[in-house]
């Protein structure tokens, strides 16, 4: 019996090999490399010296001045804070716009539903960089919006709305990039929602608004949280929208990390920021898992 | 039973068509009926007959294609479901999974802006009514099917609706529980004095609980009447067959009128009332319930023979073949025991229980 049991677990291990390989190569490996790089000394020509050094992490909070004295440097905290706020803003806007879209789609007939879901995913078919460039054409000076305003006479010919290179432009870019990731999970939990619950609520005198806030919102909460995470996490590390639409004027986390690896050649610092970002995300996911667990109890 | 004759629900020429064009389905075809206040009214029919559609039209979940529905002489069409003073007990209960029993029942009361103390009291009262006061803090998924059923009932009763709509509420329960709930529902209706509109496909349920029954088939109301009338004087063959068991025996009119005479395909000539619309020699169908068929052991030679004898415990089901026509009969067990398979018998169709029936 014992031997059989051992054989079984051995077989299981072999059977699960593809899983371990995929997890190892695509998930755990790169993370370990990043973690390793983050605690090494930087090499000014790029790469690292194989020497344990926590200065990558220290650099996030402290600067060494001319006299080799450590000083608190809020610059990177501000960048993290700004990224956080922008990502949060993008998430909230995506939720406000995406929730009604998901609700609307879920109320349609099956064939219409499929078409609409297909339309939601269409932007993913084109490269994000190119799509973001399209927004420059829309938002930019003499772009689609400004020209339209000029055409209807709201705007003078040589005036500009200065839409580009602002936080708003970055927000628009982030919302545009990631809103399908908000719509899809919410749609999926709306689909699971029993239509009779909606009928029961309206039978018990629920107005439309009450119905949404007391029945639909609480019962689609897993989808809302899932969608929010899917928008928030990539928004936090995004660098294409901030660079192209924000003009790189105000540094964000994603751009900062990219900058450390590509230009400043301070790999450990870049890796350290990435690890901090990862820690924040893991915390959020942990929170999500707890909420979901609570939710499972009655679903 | 004394009933007030105030009309609670008036269904006037209501037609409901699903879909459009070639794919359209007529679920309800100019239905007319009046449900009186304080009545236990049952919509009975096979699945897909339109009974649930009618209920959903009253609740407001579907739009009427043609006709109108009045609730206590007020037209309902313009009102959305949340403005209609009716409540529904759903087939699968549809309890709110994220709310506990108390909040489920309080849901409608809170929407009616009742004070907290009233909500508290009323919720506890209806919980007591359905004997579920010990489950006040449970979530729906911590309850059995029968318990959920009671909470759904309590939730719909709590706002004291003018009419309670019940959509096959017992169909998901097992037999024993279903039978117990029949009496409870009936008692509840009498206690509360609320008009119940009950949808079911189960004829036994309909017969035991209802004050009146509307039998529906293929979108059309076949017959409306008290259970005894529906059972004993079915208006057509569908009603006769759908409710209980029926013998439908072809025959030929020999003499019409109150004292008519008919030759059955079984070989017997029987006396019964035949409407004057039937002419001499015209084909007709005679209806008689199996428990009304009488027979005795034949003295001489007979056309009829017992072909099958089925023991049912308290009764026996006897299949008789007579001139190639099968007749079903049921007898109380003591009487039935005197007969055996293969016995030759003489059949009698009592005049008062035989009737001509339309197709």
């Amino acid at each position: 019996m014992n031997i059989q049991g051992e054989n079984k677990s051995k077989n299981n291990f072999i059977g699960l090999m593809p899983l371990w390989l995929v997890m190892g190569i695509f998930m755990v490996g790169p993370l370990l490399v990043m973690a390793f790089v983050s605690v090494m000394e930087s090499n000014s020509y790029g790469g690292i010296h194989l020497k344990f050094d926590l200065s990558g992490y220290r650099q996030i909070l402290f600067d060494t001045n001319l006299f080799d004295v450590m000083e608190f440097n809020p610059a990177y905290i501000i960048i993290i804070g700004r990224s956080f706020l922008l990502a949060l803003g993008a998430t909230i806007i995506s939720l406000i716009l995406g929730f009604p879209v998901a609700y609307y789609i879920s109320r349609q007939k099956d064939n219409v539903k499929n078409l609409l879901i297909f339309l939601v995913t269409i932007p993913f078919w084109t490269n994000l960089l190119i799509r973001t460039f399209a927004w420059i054409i829309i938002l930019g000076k003499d772009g689609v919006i400004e020209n339209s305003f000029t055409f209807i006479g709201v705007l003078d010919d040589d005036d500009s709305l200065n839409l580009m290179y602002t936080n708003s432009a970055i927000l628009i870019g982030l919302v545009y990039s990631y809103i399908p990731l908000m719509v899809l999970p919410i749609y999926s939990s709306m689909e699971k929602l029993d239509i009779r619950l909606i009928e029961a609520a309206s039978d018990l005198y629920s107005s439309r608004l009450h119905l949404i806030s007391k029945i639909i919102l609480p019962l689609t909460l897993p989808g809302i949280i899932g969608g929010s995470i899917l928008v928030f996490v990539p928004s936090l590390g995004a660098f294409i929208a901030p660079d192209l639409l924000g003009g790189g004027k105000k540094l964000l986390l994603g751009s900062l990390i990219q900058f450390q690896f590509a230009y400043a050649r301070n790999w450990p610092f870049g890796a350290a920021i990435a690890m901090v970002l990862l820690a924040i995300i893991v915390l959020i996911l942990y929170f999500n898992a707890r909420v979901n667990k609570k939710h499972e109890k009655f679903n | 039973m004394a009933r007030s004759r105030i009309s609670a629900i008036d269904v006037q020429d209501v037609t409901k068509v699903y879909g459009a064009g070639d794919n359209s389905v007529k679920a309800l075809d100019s239905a007319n009926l009046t449900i009186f206040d304080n009545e236990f009214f049952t919509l009975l029919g096979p699945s897909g007959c339109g009974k649930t559609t009618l209920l959903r039209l009253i609740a407001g979940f579907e739009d009427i294609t043609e006709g109108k529905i009045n609730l206590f002489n007020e037209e309902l069409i313009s009102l959305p479901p949340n403005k209609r003073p009716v409540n529904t007990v759903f087939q699968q209960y549809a309890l709110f999974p994220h709310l506990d029993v108390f909040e489920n029942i309080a849901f409608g009361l809170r929407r009616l802006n009742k004070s907290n103390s009233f909500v508290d009291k009323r919720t506890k009262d209806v919980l007591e009514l359905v004997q579920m006061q010990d489950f006040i803090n449970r979530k729906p998924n911590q309850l059995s099917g029968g318990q959920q059923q009671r909470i759904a009932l309590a939730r719909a009763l709590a706002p004291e609706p003018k009419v309670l709509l019940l959509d096959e509420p017992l169909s998901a329960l097992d037999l024993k529980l279903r039978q117990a709930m029949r009496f409870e529902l009936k008692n509840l209706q009498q206690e509360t004095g609320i008009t119940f509109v009950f949808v079911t496909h189960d004829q036994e349920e309909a017969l035991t609980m209802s004050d009146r029954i509307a039998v529906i088939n293929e979108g059309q109301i076949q017959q409306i009447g008290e259970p005894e009338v529906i059972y004993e004087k079915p208006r057509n063959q569908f009603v006769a067959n759908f409710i209980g068991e029926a013998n439908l025996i072809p025959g030929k009119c020999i003499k019409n009128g109150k004292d008519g005479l008919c030759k059955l395909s079984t070989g017997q000539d029987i006396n019964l009332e035949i409407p004057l619309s039937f002419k001499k020699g015209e084909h007709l169908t005679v209806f008689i319930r199996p428990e009304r068929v009488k027979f005795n052991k034949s003295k001489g030679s007979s056309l009829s023979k017992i072909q099958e004898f089925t023991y049912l415990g308290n009764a026996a089901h006897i299949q008789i073949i007579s001139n190639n026509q099968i007749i079903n009969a049921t007898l109380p067990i003591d009487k039935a025991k005197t007969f055996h398979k293969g016995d030759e018998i003489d059949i009698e169709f009592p005049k008062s229980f035989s009737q001509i029936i339309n197709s």
Side-chain angles (χ1 to χ4, degrees):
Chain A
M1 277 312 233
N2 228 340
I3 293 167
Q4 261 183 0
E6 270 172 29
N7 262 344
K8 208 177 166 194
S9 67
K10 207 172 185 178
N11 282 342
N12 263 347
F13 182 76
I14 292 168
L16 288 174
M17 274 304 276
L19 171 75
W20 298 124
L21 279 175
V22 169
M23 291 287 277
I25 294 172
F26 293 114
M27 311 276 183
V28 183
L31 267 184
L32 286 178
V33 171
M34 261 315 107
F36 177 74
V37 168
S38 76
V39 293
M40 289 294 123
E41 201 178 76
S42 73
N43 182 337
S44 29
Y45 299 105
I48 44 168
H49 280 306
L50 286 179
K51 194 177 156 209
F52 183 77
D53 186 4
L54 283 176
S55 62
Y57 287 95
R58 203 181 53 222
Q59 228 178 314
I60 297 173
L61 289 177
F62 300 102
D63 225 357
T64 318
N65 69 7
L66 287 173
F67 312 102
D68 263 356
V69 180
M70 295 233 289
E71 271 181 346
F72 177 66
N73 175 9
Y76 297 120
I77 295 295
I78 290 171
I79 291 172
I80 291 175
R82 188 189 298 139
S83 304
F84 210 87
L85 284 180
L86 273 173
L88 197 66
T91 308
I92 291 169
I93 295 169
S94 299
L95 178 59
I96 293 170
L97 297 178
F99 185 85
V101 172
Y103 178 74
Y104 177 80
I105 296 175
S106 73
R107 292 277 82 89
Q108 303 307 306
K109 286 190 187 121
D110 274 354
N111 49 348
V112 182
K113 252 184 218 174
N114 291 339
L115 176 73
L116 291 175
I117 284 299
F118 173 73
L119 289 177
V120 167
T121 57
I122 269 192
F124 286 133
W125 295 24
T126 326
N127 182 285
L128 178 61
L129 197 64
I130 293 162
R131 284 185 282 139
T132 310
F133 266 112
W135 274 103
I136 299 181
I137 296 169
I138 296 172
L139 296 174
K141 199 163 163 51
D142 289 331
V144 175
I145 293 179
E146 285 195 5
N147 277 346
S148 314
F149 277 138
T150 315
F151 183 74
I152 58 170
V154 184
L155 200 66
D156 277 342
D157 235 350
D158 29 297
D159 276 350
S160 173
L161 291 168
N162 290 324
L163 293 171
M164 279 297 288
Y165 311 126
T166 58
N167 282 344
S168 311
I170 297 176
L171 265 181
I172 290 172
L174 289 176
V175 169
Y176 167 73
S177 305
Y178 301 121
I179 198 166
L181 300 178
M182 180 67 86
V183 173
L184 295 178
I186 296 180
Y187 166 76
S188 141
S189 46
M190 293 254 186
E191 272 287 88
K192 278 188 245 160
L193 192 69
D194 187 350
I195 178 85
R196 279 167 303 201
L197 293 179
I198 293 174
E199 284 180 353
S202 50
D203 188 61
L204 292 162
Y205 320 115
S206 261
S207 62
R208 181 163 279 225
L209 206 66
H210 183 261
L211 178 69
I212 289 170
S213 68
K214 288 287 154 62
I215 302 294
I216 298 177
L217 267 178
L219 289 177
T220 53
L221 199 62
I224 290 171
I225 291 173
S228 298
I229 287 171
L230 285 180
V231 173
F232 182 80
V233 169
S235 293
L236 200 56
F239 61 89
I240 290 181
D243 272 9
L244 294 182
L245 302 175
K249 274 200 294 192
K250 287 178 177 165
L251 220 44
L252 292 179
L253 262 178
S255 316
L256 179 65
I257 295 169
Q258 192 220 6
F259 184 76
Q260 295 311 321
F261 279 90
Y263 306 105
R265 312 218 161 160
N266 193 345
W267 286 23
F269 181 45
I273 304 168
M275 294 311 286
V276 170
L277 185 62
L278 180 70
I280 296 172
I281 291 166
V282 166
L283 268 178
I284 296 168
L285 289 179
Y286 172 72
F287 168 73
N288 173 45
R290 281 189 53 161
V291 172
N292 268 350
K293 206 169 175 186
K294 216 175 124 194
H295 226 257
E296 262 166 29
K297 274 191 202 153
F298 53 78
N299 265 347
Chain B
M1 202 182 76
R3 269 198 315 272
S4 58
R5 293 269 114 180
I6 302 165
S7 141
I9 288 177
D10 240 323
V11 175
Q12 296 173 7
D13 283 320
V14 168
T15 296
K16 170 69 188 175
V17 180
Y18 287 106
D22 292 343
N23 291 326
S24 66
V25 178
K26 206 175 234 182
L28 215 53
D29 192 0
S30 39
N32 278 292
L33 61 85
T34 301
I35 299 168
F36 295 111
D37 190 20
N38 199 2
E39 191 171 34
F40 197 120
F41 194 92
T42 299
L43 304 173
L44 174 67
S47 61
C49 74
K51 57 191 192 300
T52 298
T53 300
L54 182 54
L55 196 80
R56 293 174 61 82
L57 288 172
I58 298 171
F61 301 138
E62 312 274 357
D63 295 325
I64 292 179
T65 311
E66 262 173 64
K68 63 177 187 173
I69 297 177
N70 287 356
L71 181 82
F72 290 95
N73 295 320
E74 262 178 71
E75 192 159 343
L76 274 182
I77 292 180
S78 51
L79 295 177
N82 58 325
K83 300 268 169 64
R84 299 189 182 196
V86 298
N87 290 125
T88 309
V89 179
F90 291 83
Q91 193 171 7
Q92 303 293 335
Y93 321 133
L95 296 175
F96 304 125
H98 58 302
L99 302 177
D100 63 16
V101 163
F102 181 89
E103 284 303 325
N104 260 287
I105 295 173
F107 195 93
L109 295 169
R110 292 201 201 283
R111 287 301 297 163
L112 294 172
N113 289 323
K114 304 287 185 194
S115 69
N116 276 339
S117 57
F118 180 86
V119 171
D120 197 65
K121 185 172 183 309
R122 178 74 187 147
T123 302
K124 283 175 179 156
D125 283 352
V126 287
L127 268 175
E128 207 167 314
L129 202 61
V130 297
Q131 296 158 32
M132 288 290 288
Q133 54 274 51
D134 296 340
F135 298 85
I136 193 159
N137 293 319
R138 297 272 187 99
K139 283 276 173 66
N141 67 349
Q142 296 169 311
L143 301 172
S144 70
Q147 291 167 338
Q148 289 186 35
Q149 183 358 265
R150 284 162 193 265
I151 299 307
L153 199 59
R155 182 178 70 175
L157 281 172
E160 295 184 78
K162 287 184 170 170
V163 173
L164 188 73
L165 308 173
L166 302 103
D167 185 7
E168 307 216 14
L170 307 183
S171 63
L173 304 178
D174 59 60
L175 183 69
K176 269 269 182 283
L177 201 52
R178 199 156 66 222
Q179 286 169 338
M181 282 303 285
R182 279 182 203 161
F183 290 104
E184 281 191 43
L185 269 181
K186 181 76 192 164
N187 284 339
L188 214 53
Q189 191 265 331
Q190 280 164 349
E191 255 173 71
T192 56
I194 294 172
T195 309
F196 276 32
V197 182
F198 185 87
V199 162
T200 185
H201 62 264
D202 183 328
Q203 41 110 358
E204 204 179 305
E205 236 166 67
L207 290 176
T208 51
M209 289 159 64
S210 322
D211 293 326
R212 284 193 307 148
I213 300 170
V215 183
I216 306 177
N217 188 39
E218 290 178 346
Q220 287 178 327
I221 294 177
Q222 307 291 321
Q223 187 173 6
I224 301 173
E226 277 138 31
E228 306 89 76
V229 176
I230 297 267
Y231 185 79
E232 281 167 30
K233 302 265 173 225
R235 196 199 270 161
N236 58 33
Q237 292 182 15
F238 173 81
V239 178
N241 266 323
F242 190 74
I243 307 206
E245 219 185 328
N247 288 302
L248 299 168
I249 307 163
K252 231 179 221 176
C253 176
I254 294 171
K255 183 182 149 218
N256 61 16
K258 223 173 170 55
D259 206 26
L261 191 65
C262 163
K263 186 168 189 64
L264 294 178
S265 67
T266 55
Q268 293 93 340
D269 289 348
I270 64 160
N271 259 132
L272 80 170
E273 188 182 337
I274 299 178
L276 295 171
S277 56
F278 287 95
K279 299 285 167 270
K280 194 179 166 188
E282 202 173 327
H283 289 277
L284 41 71
T285 306
V286 173
F287 155 83
I288 186 167
R289 292 284 180 200
E291 66 272 22
R292 301 299 187 190
V293 175
K294 284 192 171 157
F295 50 88
N296 292 303
K297 282 212 172 103
S298 178
K299 300 269 163 30
S301 67
S302 168
L303 289 169
S304 313
K305 209 168 108 179
I306 294 180
Q307 181 171 269
E308 211 72 67
F309 185 103
T310 314
Y311 178 73
L312 296 174
N314 59 348
H317 184 263
I318 291 166
Q319 201 178 68
I320 301 159
I321 187 142
S322 184
N323 202 16
N324 281 330
Q325 169 74 39
I326 285 172
I327 300 159
N328 290 306
T330 46
L331 281 184
I333 194 66
D334 286 342
K335 223 172 157 195
K337 273 181 173 163
T338 57
F339 295 97
H340 304 280
K341 191 174 167 179
D343 284 357
E344 295 209 333
I345 50 170
D346 292 328
I347 318 178
E348 190 191 322
F349 301 99
K351 187 181 174 187
S352 50
F353 298 114
S354 309
Q355 68 176 85
I356 304 295
I357 193 160
N358 300 323
S359 59

